[in-house]
Amino acid sequence: MGKTKTKKKTNVVTKPITFSLPIEASENINQVAAARVAEKLPEIDQATRAFDRNNSATTLSMMTLTMLNGHSPMRMLRQITAEVEKRKMALAEAQVSHAEKRVELLELEEADDIVSEAKLKAGRHGLTMMEHKINGSIKDIAVLIDSYENIKEKWDIDVWDEELFEREEKRHHVRRGFELMYRNLMDGGRVSTSTIEYMQQYGVHPQVAMTEVSGYIQHTAQQIKNHILPHSNDLEEFMDQMADKYYKNADKTAERIFGKSDFLNPEYMLRLEKTEKKDDT
């Protein structure tokens, strides 16, 4: 009988991963670890696609849109437009990088050397990662559009433009002043100079505001003592009440400075026309 030809064992991992080395270099690679990577990396790659953006939809909707804006619907709508614009610019730049990378890969596919082959593998991986980031930006824009529509529906806003936004600004800043005063008193028991100045700029006497906020803090403390645990919406509603009560103070301050309460000129503002609904008949 002839000798049975035994198959020579090699340490080369044949399953495709994001890199590969020639046979002569494989002795320096831990093959147990490499086999584990080859087996499970596709699953990790798939899971990574769920995190193809910097923030989650929850963070984007509940933190980014309310940061420095509070619960002002007009401010949140404006923030949405700014966030969408940032992502549009990123997508515009990404499409150029994506096209350049594709051209680079096409050139590498024509080459026939080991360096070009390695660059091709790395380039394909880079292109995939780029597409994941592009997908993340598109998902962000979709989430922002949903938030935009939800806010408009919640606050019964049909068409909004620069003039409507400006008309709500005084109320927003008065509300924001009470919010900052509440935070100051909760944080250190004293009102900061910047908050005092902010309140005065919009016509609210700082001592009046401090009395209102201090009273709310005492009321809430008594509720908690009685085992009544208010939701943070209670604080938001208090600030809404303060805005409704004091926002016209800003008009008196405007009269003192400009001689008129309404100093806005709509002729300088961009106005949006309501889209006419098409008649289906």
Side-chain angles (χ1 to χ4, degrees):
M1 291 180 64
K3 292 184 179 179
T4 304
K5 198 170 184 180
T6 57
K7 188 174 180 181
K8 183 180 179 181
K9 292 183 179 180
T10 68
N11 291 327
V12 178
V13 177
T14 57
K15 287 188 178 181
I17 51 180
T18 54
F19 64 91
S20 63
L21 294 173
I23 295 176
E24 56 270 22
S26 62
E27 295 290 344
N28 297 319
I29 303 301
N30 184 311
Q31 294 304 304
V32 175
R36 182 65 170 166
V37 170
E39 178 188 5
K40 291 297 182 180
L41 190 59
E43 181 180 339
I44 300 298
D45 284 342
Q46 184 67 25
T48 303
R49 297 188 63 181
F51 306 100
D52 48 14
R53 46 195 171 151
N54 292 331
N55 289 321
S56 66
T58 301
T59 301
L60 181 60
S61 300
M62 299 195 71
M63 292 181 65
T64 303
L65 298 187
T66 60
M67 194 175 297
L68 301 181
N69 295 320
H71 289 193
S72 166
M74 291 298 168
R75 281 293 185 112
M76 287 190 285
L77 290 176
R78 188 185 73 163
Q79 186 66 29
I80 287 171
T81 64
E83 294 294 330
V84 168
E85 189 63 26
K86 282 197 303 185
R87 286 157 179 81
K88 282 170 56 183
M89 289 299 297
L91 286 173
E93 294 172 1
Q95 71 177 349
V96 176
S97 299
H98 189 271
E100 291 174 343
K101 179 61 69 174
R102 289 179 61 195
V103 170
E104 179 186 333
L105 294 181
L106 288 173
E107 293 174 352
L108 288 171
E109 287 174 356
E110 298 296 323
D112 187 22
D113 61 272
I114 58 174
V115 174
S116 297
E117 183 182 354
K119 286 182 177 180
L120 180 60
K121 291 175 182 176
R124 285 172 176 166
H125 179 67
L127 188 67
T128 300
M129 293 299 100
M130 189 185 300
E131 289 170 353
H132 288 175
K133 293 299 181 183
I134 290 171
N135 186 55
S137 294
I138 292 172
K139 283 159 60 177
D140 272 354
I141 293 174
V143 168
L144 289 164
I145 289 172
D146 287 347
S147 296
Y148 184 88
E149 295 297 328
N150 290 337
I151 291 170
K152 286 179 63 180
E153 181 178 355
K154 167 66 174 66
W155 297 98
D156 194 24
I157 300 171
D158 187 9
V159 174
W160 72 286
D161 54 20
E162 188 177 358
E163 182 178 1
L164 182 58
F165 175 84
E166 288 288 354
R167 297 295 176 197
E168 291 293 320
E169 275 291 87
K170 290 177 182 177
R171 186 182 185 280
H172 162 73
H173 285 292
V174 169
R175 187 186 192 278
R176 181 67 172 166
F178 277 96
E179 184 176 18
L180 292 175
M181 184 161 288
Y182 174 82
R183 292 179 181 181
N184 288 166
L185 293 177
M186 289 296 294
D187 182 41
R190 60 182 296 274
V191 183
S192 70
T193 302
S194 59
T195 298
I196 291 172
E197 182 179 11
Y198 191 18
M199 301 297 288
Q200 285 183 253
Q201 287 171 331
Y202 286 91
V204 181
H205 196 295
Q207 285 181 260
V208 172
M210 186 171 66
T211 300
E212 292 274 24
V213 175
S214 297
Y216 175 76
I217 291 173
Q218 292 171 12
H219 168 71
T220 304
Q222 187 61 47
Q223 282 187 305
I224 295 171
K225 186 177 179 180
N226 294 334
H227 307 291
I228 300 171
L229 305 178
H231 189 275
S232 64
N233 283 350
D234 187 76
L235 174 59
E236 299 294 339
E237 289 165 7
F238 165 73
M239 290 187 292
D240 285 343
Q241 292 169 10
M242 293 298 99
D244 292 338
K245 186 175 180 179
Y246 291 104
Y247 80 93
K248 288 187 178 179
N249 286 26
D251 290 340
K252 294 180 181 180
T253 300
E255 288 173 359
R256 176 182 174 85
I257 297 173
F258 306 113
K260 58 177 72 174
S261 61
D262 187 3
F263 53 86
L264 301 173
N265 190 339
E267 295 300 321
Y268 303 153
M269 301 177 187
L270 175 65
R271 294 187 174 184
L272 303 178
E273 295 183 2
K274 184 176 179 180
T275 304
E276 295 183 3
K277 293 183 179 179
K278 294 182 179 180
D279 190 355
D280 295 332
T281 59

